[in-house]
Amino acid sequence: MTPRALRMSQPLAREVAEQVAIQHGVCVRPVALKRLDTYTGQTEIIDVPCGATLETACPPCARRNRHLRVAQCREGWHVDAEPITTPNEASEEQRWLIEFRADTQARRDAAARSGQDTTDLDAVIAGLDAEINAAGMRGNVLAGATSKRNRSTRRRQDAPDLPRRKMTNTTLGRTFTSSDGKVYRPSLFVTLTLPSYGKIRDGVPVDPDAYDYRRAARDALHFAKLVDRFVQNLRRVAGYDVQYFATVEPQKRLAPHLHMAIRGTLPRAEIRQIAAATYHQVWWPAADEALFEGEHLPVWANGAGYLDPGTGEVLPTWEQALDQAAEPLHVVRFGDQLNVQGVLSGTPDADQCIRYLSKYLTKSLGDSLDPDQPAQREHAERLAAALRYEPCSPTCANWLRYGIQPKNAKPGMTPGRCRGKAHKPDHLGYAGRRVLVSRKWSNKTLAEHKQDRRTWALEALGQTDEPTDPHRYLWKPVPAGDANVPPLAVRLLRAVAERQRWRAHMAELQARADGQDLSANRQAA
Ligand SMILES: [Zn+2]
Ligand SMILES: [Zn+2]
């Protein structure tokens, strides 16, 4: 083959390798890491599965994650003993995640200093933060770097007027014993939905001009906070440390909604009352009137920050603008549509709900869109347009449009060009996590559920899962374009071959075990 022909054939080879990898359940976006074995001094390049967290569309990892989530949901829903939550020592995985995070941050800062685009590295960092949280470490690695503002009492979120039970120190729901002595463990499956923004037919607004896209956009942006408030109120009313496993999914009208498995039970009327009384006030400066747009945009001055392009005056900083805010920018509430279902542990109902909860986990929020329907496409475009200029966070470049310097303002910010997840069409304004699991749902973190599967597989092979010395290996990221990393197609096919070897080995062991059973049976007969 000529070098040119070889080059031409590469994308094809990669596509084929990807398909084969998907068929075999092998990660198609592996992350190459350099692993130094401190015992032998040898360095190896190891492919680590992407885990589907780095904003990569990796179907095998997405599927595997979904299976883990189903296991996690099932194990926690009806536990009958108080889960023990002692922080585990940072595992090897956690350690390398943190090291990798630190290295990536360093690379990102270096790129920013030399004026390069940091979009990709920012996305990786956001993904790593999510992964680090999922691995059982709570909070942000860099937390503490920002100081908390002192808020005036006027800004306090008012507690809604709801009944309160005396708090008991348990996470378990009530049980009921029937006359024949059987113990029942009732629980709830709740679906919470945002309000109406205009009449909908077949998933699209009947009158798009009358549809309240601004409100839809703001509700989606702050949906996660509303869910937090709901849980706080739920716990106050219930009088125990209510645990939940919830997923955020898109409705056909492109608004996020929430399915929540709740351990224990409350009267339905109370759930209704809590949902109706729950709201979240967004204490942000006003962002209703565009002061700067088009070519007329604030200009950056070193040492001063952003200036009004007409008068040369320095624009108020985020903190200054926040102090002036006399009322919340927005208040989010749930809509009237609420579904509350009682579920008994171990019933087909419970299984059905778990399937429902995990149904969309392998898809992004925007995947529910049907691109062949012009009305749906137009609806999605209008929502994306509304989201484009809504501030997504205190650091969002869109604040400049409303005459305010974003928090941590830096040169080069342009309204409408914020890279925040919430503005991306795939996210529909919701940048939070898709799966929300309370701390004491099951005894395990997702990383521990993963470990369960590994232990199971090794036991099936007749090997013990001995803990490796956590200090044995040192992990380092491999710089992009490193000549020691083979082309992706080659790496994928290698991983497939390895998976096949492992499966064959498992099958052989199984066959041997079956044979032993058979001969044992024969002897017994
Ligand atoms: Zn993957
Ligand atoms: Zn933004």
Side-chain angles (χ1 to χ4, degrees):
M1 222 186 260
T2 62
R4 185 180 141 76
L6 187 72
R7 244 191 347 263
M8 295 292 287
S9 71
Q10 267 172 3
L12 185 67
R14 184 171 157 164
E15 231 167 77
V16 172
E18 225 178 77
Q19 277 162 17
V20 174
I22 289 174
Q23 268 167 23
H24 286 83
V26 167
C27 173
V28 295
R29 303 272 181 274
V31 182
L33 292 173
K34 220 177 262 180
R35 191 182 74 174
L36 169 70
D37 187 335
T38 56
Y39 288 10
T40 65
Q42 266 175 346
T43 298
E44 246 185 302
I45 290 184
I46 305 267
D47 273 333
V48 183
C50 76
T53 53
L54 305 183
E55 307 245 315
T56 54
C58 175
C61 285
R63 263 202 309 275
R64 219 174 355 261
N65 275 352
R66 180 169 172 261
H67 284 143
L68 286 171
R69 289 300 191 184
V70 167
Q72 187 185 30
C73 183
R74 182 164 288 135
E75 269 189 46
W77 203 352
H78 301 104
V79 295
D80 49 13
E82 213 63 75
I84 309 149
T85 45
T86 43
N88 295 313
E89 223 187 289
S91 65
E92 189 189 357
E93 187 196 3
Q94 291 168 333
R95 225 185 303 272
W96 87 248
L97 276 170
I98 288 186
E99 274 178 28
F100 191 22
R101 170 74 169 75
D103 286 335
T104 313
Q105 182 76 43
R107 279 203 285 169
R108 188 221 165 270
D109 294 345
R113 268 196 305 277
S114 59
Q116 287 166 16
D117 184 22
T118 60
T119 316
D120 289 344
L121 289 169
D122 283 336
V124 170
I125 287 170
L128 281 168
D129 278 343
E131 179 81 334
I132 286 166
N133 282 332
M137 292 170 279
R138 271 155 242 299
N140 187 301
V141 189
L142 299 181
T146 52
S147 63
K148 266 210 169 138
R149 279 175 53 84
N150 280 326
R151 295 201 164 185
S152 69
T153 45
R154 174 167 62 90
R155 303 263 168 89
R156 215 177 41 214
Q157 300 274 342
D158 312 311
D161 190 19
L162 282 167
R164 275 179 189 228
R165 290 202 178 85
K166 202 174 163 305
M167 212 50 193
T168 50
N169 186 23
T170 174
T171 73
L172 305 177
R174 283 177 296 172
T175 56
F176 298 96
T177 309
S178 68
S179 53
D180 58 359
K182 204 167 169 231
V183 178
Y184 288 94
R185 209 167 279 287
S187 60
L188 292 174
F189 185 66
V190 175
T191 300
L192 292 160
T193 308
L194 286 168
S196 166
Y197 311 114
K199 202 168 161 26
I200 292 277
R201 198 179 296 138
D202 299 328
V204 294
V206 174
D207 178 2
D209 289 331
Y211 194 79
D212 195 345
Y213 282 100
R214 171 178 273 179
R215 178 134 190 248
R218 289 184 179 173
D219 278 4
L221 283 167
H222 302 287
F223 186 64
K225 274 277 163 25
L226 183 65
V227 172
D228 280 354
R229 299 263 169 244
F230 176 77
V231 172
Q232 285 169 8
N233 292 335
L234 181 68
R235 286 186 172 148
R236 275 201 201 109
V237 174
Y240 69 98
D241 191 6
V242 180
Q243 302 298 305
Y244 59 91
F245 179 103
T247 58
V248 176
E249 276 167 17
Q251 287 180 289
K252 212 172 167 202
R253 62 171 180 151
L254 306 180
H257 75 162
L258 184 89
H259 297 301
M260 185 180 247
I262 294 173
R263 191 190 302 151
T265 195
L266 270 82
R268 276 171 216 218
E270 277 185 10
I271 298 282
R272 266 179 201 290
Q273 209 183 341
I274 296 164
T278 296
Y279 59 89
H280 171 66
Q281 296 170 318
V282 183
W283 277 103
W284 281 1
D288 297 314
E289 201 190 324
L291 300 178
F292 303 104
E293 53 188 331
E295 299 291 298
H296 182 65
L297 292 175
V299 286
W300 175 262
N302 277 331
Y306 279 96
L307 317 178
D308 183 317
T311 64
E313 263 177 89
V314 181
L315 295 179
T317 62
W318 164 259
E319 281 78 14
Q320 287 164 348
L322 200 55
D323 283 337
Q324 310 259 298
E327 52 179 357
L329 167 69
H330 186 63
V331 180
V332 211
R333 294 176 180 281
F334 292 112
D336 303 330
Q337 274 191 31
L338 170 75
N339 194 286
V340 187
Q341 193 188 331
V343 181
L344 283 176
S345 63
T347 59
D349 265 7
D351 279 341
Q352 171 101 41
C353 290
I354 291 169
R355 271 200 300 278
Y356 203 68
L357 270 165
S358 59
K359 195 165 145 197
Y360 296 102
L361 283 186
T362 57
K363 297 184 174 177
S364 78
L365 288 174
D367 274 355
S368 61
L369 259 170
D370 184 351
D372 295 332
Q373 291 212 2
Q376 266 210 26
R377 214 176 38 226
E378 196 203 314
H379 178 47
E381 278 163 12
R382 280 181 180 245
L383 179 64
L387 283 163
R388 184 166 178 200
Y389 291 111
E390 278 300 328
C392 70
S393 66
T395 56
C396 185
N398 286 346
W399 286 113
L400 291 174
R401 180 181 172 85
Y402 307 103
I404 295 157
Q405 300 200 52
K407 195 174 171 182
N408 308 329
K410 51 181 189 278
M413 299 181 98
T414 311
R417 299 258 178 86
C418 171
R419 311 258 194 203
K421 248 195 212 173
H423 303 289
K424 293 186 181 160
D426 256 10
H427 286 270
L428 308 173
Y430 178 78
R433 292 207 225 160
R434 296 287 303 281
V435 182
L436 312 161
V437 191
S438 61
R439 227 161 59 76
K440 297 173 193 162
W441 177 256
S442 65
N443 281 323
K444 295 166 192 164
T445 63
L446 201 61
E448 287 168 311
H449 282 285
K450 237 181 245 177
Q451 186 63 23
D452 276 0
R453 300 195 132 204
R454 182 184 144 85
T455 306
W456 175 84
L458 287 171
E459 266 169 15
L461 283 170
Q463 298 175 356
T464 47
D465 189 7
E466 277 180 37
T468 47
D469 174 357
H471 302 294
R472 176 165 181 178
Y473 299 112
L474 287 173
W475 299 84
K476 286 270 170 239
V478 179
D482 188 311
N484 294 315
V485 180
L488 185 61
V490 174
R491 293 156 66 201
L492 294 185
L493 293 179
R494 261 188 212 157
V496 169
E498 187 137 325
R499 179 66 54 97
Q500 276 171 322
R501 257 202 311 279
W502 164 267
R503 286 223 174 108
H505 189 44
M506 290 285 279
E508 192 189 301
L509 285 172
Q510 187 64 49
R512 218 181 290 160
D514 288 350
Q516 279 166 4
D517 281 356
L518 220 66
S519 61
N521 284 346
R522 239 179 265 129
Q523 275 171 9

